[in-house]
Amino acid sequence: MAGKTSKALTKEDLILSWTKAPFQANVIKEAQAIYEDFKAGKSDLEIEAYTIPLEFGTGGIRGIIGNGVGRMNNYTVGRAALGLCRHLQTLSKNPLIVIAYDSRRKSKEFAEVTAGIAASLKIRVKVFPAVAPTPLLSYAIRHFKAHGGVVITASHNPKEYNGFKAYLSDGGQLIPPDDGKIISAINNITDWNEITILKKTDPIYTKYVDLIEASLFETYKSKVLKSNIYNTKLDPKDRMANKIVYSPLHGTGGAYMKDLLKTAGYKNLFLVSEQEKPNGEFPTVKYPNPEEKEALQLCIETSKKRGANIFIATDPDADRLGIGIKKESGDFELLNGNQIGSIMCAYLSEKVAAAREKSKSKTEYHIFKTIVTSDLQESIAKANKIKIKNVLTGFKYIAEQMGKIDGDKTKKFLFGGEESYGYLPVEFVRDKDSLASALLLLEILSDKKDLLAYLDEIYLKYGLYLESLKSVTLKGEAGKQKILDSLEKLRTTNLLGQNLGTRKVISFMDYKNKKASGKATKAVFNGLPPADVIQLELEGNAKLTIRPSGTEPKVKLYSSFKSLEKPITREDLPDLREKLTKEIMQTQTNFIKLAGLDD
């Protein structure tokens, strides 16, 4: 019904599997109508829902809620859960799994389905009693020494979506080879009747499923406040000087963020009342995504009413974080994920570099970032003599690198980040964490007083870098094929020496086939699994990267450019930013046309 099995079963087989038990009469009736349309030669998104299975991407499975093998429902969730749980049974005779869920439609129900699947296999389960942030799920897996975990979430997708993200014992999402083994276990489930949907009142469910107590968050909070992101030497008055507005965007972060920040000394914290409570309909926003300006409108309005100097917003599962900083004009400047991450990266790097110089410590600090995240962070790391490694897109690869330095007392994790508003400044979580990240940003603000001035200071010290992300949405089978064709076109075109905008292509890197040409060498692929990514390096520290989204019907183009002119004073920055922005836009347009994605 997915992956290898989908090749064995025809589309007709896949539809017909929904026209009989274990499905209810209304689902069977819908599937029969779809089958008639399919036989008549029709093709639409509803037919694709029954003929194109959900696939594991960078974050497990994710899709629109509905019936069929290509939608999120009790049976597709149950099938994913059954495959994961069977894999956990190969790892331990007495496995334990932790389950969390967000505020979306059917999230609680899908969490209960997952717990019931585990219980039916006599696997011990710990489940959060209410909506909880994804980073707490990652923390809980490690805290309880569990063998795996699941969070039911579709992150920042629209309200029609939900998803199933799987984790293993390190608290990180699935990586090779475990992901392949779990996908195989899922593919081996060819009969929907294998999936046991238990009620919460079932004796097996009540025997194996326990609720997680509130004390778990207290242990997380204690670790955060004892970590190096919390500055115990800071004057409490500096924290009180900040007025902060926070929005969980109808998601899971509300009570948790409020508790953490107030305990840390940020008493002047105001929540956006219209978005404070969990609500899977996301009534005040089109997309509950802190990357979108539209989603932050109420943050801006509330901040102006409250006289706040900063606002923060998190997505529904509270792993991503966006911020707005008050300018002298009274308006708010929205920082992107690269800028937010670079502020944290620079502050932590400069902090440990100064401490190391003072103590002559031999500790080797490590930063991990994705290949599409700003190379400004590479400049920061190198200037402060800190190790940095690029990994593939997906925070699971950052977690993997963290695992490789576990247990080595001479090596310490410092920071991990990705451009899509995900950051991790603590080592005891293995996924992006908006809670710890928000606290760190406020600590930097309390110390530096002006985050915009500090960001400019970073540009002057390490180089002016700007970034851009352009997404092209292409739905359905035809869209998927067009994405594949565009990347294949780039692979078969000799781009070396060509001008894209004002800069020449000097390196070509194909992460799928691990081919490098120009100034790049195959060393760039060391330790990385194959991935459908193409990256171009241009003259003057500029990169273009193209990849299909692992969770949405999109192809994404990332740009990261360093200014060819070096700014000397803060006054130089506005003009240079404007020039660099125009250059990036022009280069993106040229590249999209070259890839055949402009029509």
Side-chain angles (χ1 to χ4, degrees):
M1 290 181 288
K4 293 176 183 176
T5 309
S6 66
K7 294 177 183 177
L9 294 178
T10 65
K11 291 183 177 182
E12 184 174 15
D13 293 332
L14 289 169
I15 302 173
L16 289 173
S17 71
W18 286 73
T19 63
K20 52 191 175 184
F23 300 105
Q24 295 179 339
N26 63 317
V27 178
I28 290 172
K29 186 177 179 181
E30 180 180 294
Q32 287 170 337
I34 292 288
Y35 180 58
E36 292 303 317
D37 287 345
F38 174 76
K39 283 201 303 182
K42 293 182 182 178
S43 179
D44 57 31
L45 294 177
E46 293 307 310
I47 290 173
E48 289 183 8
Y50 278 87
T51 57
I52 302 176
L54 291 176
E55 296 178 357
F56 262 77
T58 54
I61 58 171
R62 190 183 298 186
I64 293 171
I65 298 167
N67 298 321
V69 71
R71 296 277 167 92
M72 291 292 297
N73 52 67
N74 286 354
Y75 285 88
T76 53
V77 169
R79 187 166 175 256
L82 183 55
L84 172 64
C85 288
R86 284 177 174 171
H87 178 70
L88 296 184
Q89 287 181 314
T90 69
L91 304 177
S92 171
K93 291 181 180 179
N94 187 28
L96 169 65
I97 188 170
V98 184
I99 300 169
Y101 59 94
D102 72 5
S103 58
R104 289 180 172 273
R105 296 172 178 176
K106 288 190 171 290
S107 282
K108 186 176 183 181
E109 183 179 338
F110 290 159
E112 290 170 1
V113 166
T114 303
I117 292 287
S120 72
L121 297 177
K122 299 182 179 179
I123 291 174
R124 295 171 297 136
V125 181
K126 285 188 178 290
V127 62
F128 281 86
V131 298
T134 288
L136 272 193
L137 180 275
S138 175
Y139 172 73
I141 292 169
R142 297 172 64 80
H143 177 82
F144 292 120
K145 295 180 171 58
H147 301 86
V150 169
V151 60
I152 304 297
T153 181
S155 188
H156 56 285
N157 278 61
K159 62 186 178 183
E160 296 82 10
Y161 285 76
N162 214 324
F164 174 103
K165 286 204 290 191
Y167 296 72
L168 288 178
S169 60
D170 68 339
Q173 292 180 50
L174 306 182
I175 56 169
D178 291 293
D179 58 353
K181 292 176 182 178
I182 291 166
I183 290 168
S184 292
I186 294 169
N187 291 343
N188 287 333
I189 303 164
T190 59
D191 184 350
W192 295 113
N193 287 288
E194 289 186 64
I195 297 156
T196 303
I197 308 291
L198 293 182
K199 292 182 178 179
K200 284 177 67 177
T201 53
D202 191 292
I204 297 174
Y205 190 103
T206 56
K207 180 178 180 180
Y208 286 97
V209 180
D210 291 320
L211 295 180
I212 292 171
E213 296 180 350
S215 57
L216 174 85
F217 182 62
E218 294 303 314
T219 67
Y220 166 86
K221 193 167 62 172
S222 174
K223 280 181 175 286
V224 169
L225 295 176
K226 288 176 182 175
S227 73
N228 73 328
I229 70 171
Y230 191 62
N231 187 353
T232 55
K233 295 178 181 178
L234 199 62
D235 189 330
K237 291 179 182 177
D238 289 329
R239 293 190 180 99
M240 287 296 294
N242 293 305
K243 281 191 176 181
I244 306 142
V245 162
Y246 168 57
S247 173
L249 296 180
H250 304 291
T252 63
Y256 292 99
M257 185 75 81
K258 183 178 179 181
D259 188 341
L260 174 64
L261 297 184
K262 291 215 167 184
T263 302
Y266 293 96
K267 307 295 185 184
N268 290 323
L269 175 68
F270 308 98
L271 270 69
V272 176
S273 58
E274 300 93 330
Q275 298 171 332
E276 180 177 356
K277 301 296 182 187
N279 185 340
E281 299 306 309
F282 309 115
T284 65
V285 293
K286 187 176 180 182
Y287 302 108
N289 185 355
E291 296 180 61
E292 303 281 347
K293 185 176 181 179
E294 178 270 338
L296 304 176
Q297 194 55 42
L298 280 173
C299 286
I300 295 170
E301 292 173 14
T302 305
S303 296
K304 288 180 177 179
K305 286 177 188 174
R306 292 284 189 177
N309 56 321
I310 185 172
F311 70 76
I312 55 181
T314 54
D315 66 344
D317 66 322
D319 60 352
R320 298 171 193 257
L321 171 75
I323 68 169
I325 309 294
K326 188 177 183 180
K327 298 188 290 185
E328 288 183 8
S329 65
D331 290 327
F332 281 79
E333 182 161 335
L334 309 183
L335 300 189
N336 65 38
N338 283 300
Q339 293 170 318
I340 297 167
S342 295
I343 286 172
M344 288 190 265
C345 179
Y347 186 80
L348 291 173
S349 296
E350 291 165 355
K351 184 177 180 180
V352 299
R356 183 177 54 204
E357 187 66 29
K358 192 175 181 180
S359 67
K360 305 300 179 186
S361 168
K362 300 292 185 184
T363 301
E364 186 180 273
Y365 286 94
H366 289 255
I367 292 169
F368 305 114
K369 76 175 190 68
T370 63
I371 59 174
V372 296
T373 299
S374 177
D375 282 337
L376 171 57
Q377 292 173 23
E378 201 159 313
S379 295
I380 292 167
K382 288 177 179 176
N384 289 284
K385 297 179 182 178
I386 291 168
K387 297 282 185 181
I388 186 163
K389 183 175 177 61
N390 285 300
V391 299
L392 295 177
T393 306
F395 223 89
K396 58 188 179 181
Y397 296 115
I398 291 175
E400 179 186 27
Q401 293 301 320
M402 292 173 71
K404 289 180 178 180
I405 61 172
D406 270 351
D408 188 335
K409 292 183 179 179
T410 67
K411 297 177 180 180
K412 280 189 179 180
F413 169 76
L414 184 63
F415 180 72
E418 58 184 9
E419 54 75 41
S420 54
Y421 291 61
Y423 336 94
L424 181 61
V426 293
E427 60 82 26
F428 48 85
V429 175
R430 296 295 160 94
D431 207 346
K432 43 193 178 283
D433 184 350
S434 72
L435 302 172
S437 297
L439 177 60
L440 173 57
L441 269 172
L442 292 175
E443 290 290 280
I444 299 170
L445 173 61
S446 299
D447 185 9
K448 296 290 184 179
K449 306 298 186 284
D450 185 340
L451 284 183
L452 296 178
Y454 182 51
L455 180 60
D456 285 349
E457 183 185 315
I458 291 167
Y459 287 142
L460 293 171
K461 192 172 182 180
Y462 304 107
L464 174 61
Y465 288 77
L466 292 183
E467 298 78 31
S468 175
L469 169 61
K470 172 78 173 175
S471 294
V472 180
T473 300
L474 296 160
K475 294 182 179 179
E477 280 188 289
K480 187 181 288 187
Q481 189 58 50
K482 185 164 186 176
I483 292 171
L484 291 173
D485 290 344
S486 69
L487 266 76
E488 197 54 39
K489 180 181 178 183
L490 292 171
R491 286 190 174 96
T492 55
T493 303
N494 182 12
L495 298 172
L496 287 177
Q498 284 198 35
N499 280 323
L500 283 175
T502 58
R503 306 195 195 200
K504 194 173 289 184
V505 178
I506 58 174
S507 298
F508 178 89
M509 291 155 279
D510 177 0
Y511 285 80
K512 183 178 181 180
N513 299 307
K514 298 202 172 181
K515 290 182 178 178
S517 54
K519 291 193 174 183
T521 67
K522 286 191 175 182
V524 75
F525 308 123
N526 285 351
L528 302 181
D532 198 5
V533 178
I534 291 172
Q535 191 169 66
L536 305 181
E537 187 179 0
L538 311 181
E539 292 172 321
N541 286 330
K543 281 180 183 172
L544 293 169
T545 310
I546 189 167
R547 59 176 279 268
S549 169
T551 56
E552 300 169 277
K554 292 179 178 179
V555 62
K556 295 186 174 183
L557 172 62
Y558 305 81
S559 306
S560 178
F561 281 48
K562 184 181 181 182
S563 173
L564 294 172
E565 298 176 62
K566 180 177 171 58
I568 305 301
T569 67
R570 197 176 177 194
E571 287 68 35
D572 296 337
L573 289 170
D575 284 346
L576 291 181
R577 274 199 193 98
E578 187 177 344
K579 283 182 185 177
L580 195 52
T581 300
K582 286 179 180 177
E583 183 191 359
I584 290 171
M585 294 301 108
Q586 183 59 52
T587 307
Q588 273 187 178
T589 300
N590 293 350
F591 189 60
I592 287 170
K593 186 175 181 180
L594 182 68
L597 293 166
D598 58 333
D599 50 19

